[in-house]
Amino acid sequence: MSAEMQETDAAVVVSIEAPGMESGDFNIRVEGNPLSISGKRSYSKQREQGRYHITERAYGSFQRTISLPFEVDDSKSTAKYKHGVLEISLPKSVTLQPRRITIETG
Amino acid sequence: MTAFHALTDLHRELGRVFDDRPLYRHTPATNEASSWSPQVDIKEDEGGFTVIADVPGVDPADVDITLDNSVLTIRGERESETQGLRRRERFRGSFLRQFTLPESVDESGVKASASNGVLQVTIPRSAKAKPLSITVEGE
């Protein structure tokens, strides 16, 4: 389960390669820090029939725990699953976001 | 090509014709470089063979499957943003897997589908290679 973490000004995006799952199969937990993702890839029913010549693909349970580089706002976190990649977007906690300070002229 | 390669090729060819072993791993020609290869399962049942490949993060539109001279080639490309990466584990760029098909398959009936990052290529057995059951008629 290769995982990557990408940081932008406003958020951190964690991507995990998890082909052959359904979006409901993931269990994502963010309670402050770290982020924890778990799930299970089950054998398909089709697997029972026929015989296998090569089996390189992995099945079963997995878990990844990733330390986040900063405090995130877990209430605004979102996740999507596309082409077998789970992408979790965690916005930076408001206190950490860059603020522009305007100079008052007086 | 070394003598050893020629010998393994001959062995493969003979196996294909006489032994009909299924789906040999085909070693890509040296001019075909790829940065990663997807993991596959190969299943055989009465209907034929199924190649199941994990290609997470690859748009099915970017996958190219060809069949040439009994060699099934699955190739494609995975590109994604690399800017601002704090942790990098995924392979990017082109991928390639090749298999030599046995004589007993119907090359015209090869079909492919993709879902949730899993590519499935079905290769049916040719009609004459399917097991035939003959019932004995009573008097």
Side-chain angles (χ1 to χ4, degrees):
Chain A
M1 291 287 164
S2 299
E4 284 189 343
M5 186 160 61
Q6 197 173 11
E7 190 183 336
T8 64
D9 283 346
V12 64
V13 179
V14 175
S15 311
I16 292 174
E17 288 187 349
M21 309 265 297
E22 295 296 332
S23 47
D25 292 343
F26 296 102
N27 181 17
I28 305 164
R29 287 165 68 99
V30 215
E31 278 166 22
N33 211 348
L35 164 73
S36 161
I37 303 123
S38 60
K40 187 179 179 186
R41 177 153 91 167
S42 313
Y43 288 112
S44 68
K45 283 214 174 82
Q46 294 173 295
R47 200 184 161 88
E48 288 152 26
Q49 311 137 17
R51 65 193 178 106
Y52 277 74
H53 295 285
I54 299 179
T55 47
E56 297 170 347
R57 301 166 68 230
Y59 292 93
S61 304
F62 69 88
Q63 170 154 22
R64 287 287 317 237
T65 306
I66 292 161
S67 306
L68 300 172
F70 42 71
E71 207 184 309
V72 296
D73 184 354
D74 42 0
S75 65
K76 291 203 181 99
S77 300
T78 56
K80 62 175 182 178
Y81 183 56
K82 193 184 175 194
H83 298 324
V85 177
L86 178 70
E87 202 175 279
I88 306 157
S89 181
L90 307 135
K92 266 183 200 177
S93 168
V94 189
T95 52
L96 295 172
Q97 283 191 23
R99 280 188 303 145
R100 182 174 293 277
I101 297 152
T102 47
I103 302 163
E104 285 172 42
T105 50
Chain B
M1 186 183 278
T2 63
F4 182 73
H5 277 115
L7 195 66
T8 49
D9 279 0
L10 179 69
H11 177 248
R12 182 169 30 228
E13 273 307 297
L14 288 174
R16 208 165 76 76
V17 175
F18 297 112
D19 188 21
D20 211 20
R21 295 259 309 273
L23 297 170
Y24 278 89
R25 279 163 226 244
H26 183 86
T27 318
T30 45
N31 58 358
E32 282 246 37
S34 64
S35 42
W36 62 285
S37 359
Q39 281 157 338
V40 302
D41 284 353
I42 292 181
K43 188 179 84 166
E44 181 185 359
D45 59 22
E46 282 176 19
F49 299 95
T50 310
V51 178
I52 307 154
D54 279 345
V55 287
V58 177
D59 188 328
D62 294 335
V63 180
D64 184 31
I65 302 167
T66 56
L67 192 56
D68 180 29
N69 231 343
S70 295
V71 176
L72 177 78
T73 303
I74 303 168
R75 62 158 74 79
E77 196 75 24
R78 172 166 63 200
E79 287 307 334
S80 51
E81 190 64 52
T82 54
Q83 228 180 3
L85 277 186
R86 276 178 159 261
R87 174 195 283 270
R88 184 173 170 162
E89 295 176 6
R90 301 171 62 200
F91 289 104
R92 290 180 165 72
S94 60
F95 66 88
L96 176 72
R97 274 309 287 261
Q98 290 187 308
F99 303 97
T100 307
L101 302 183
E103 293 276 286
S104 60
V105 302
D106 172 15
E107 297 199 351
S108 63
V110 175
K111 283 197 179 81
S113 64
S115 155
N116 289 338
V118 179
L119 185 70
Q120 193 153 327
V121 184
T122 55
I123 306 148
R125 228 179 269 280
S126 65
K128 64 172 187 221
K130 276 188 185 145
L132 190 66
S133 148
I134 297 150
T135 42
V136 181
E137 286 174 41
E139 284 175 46

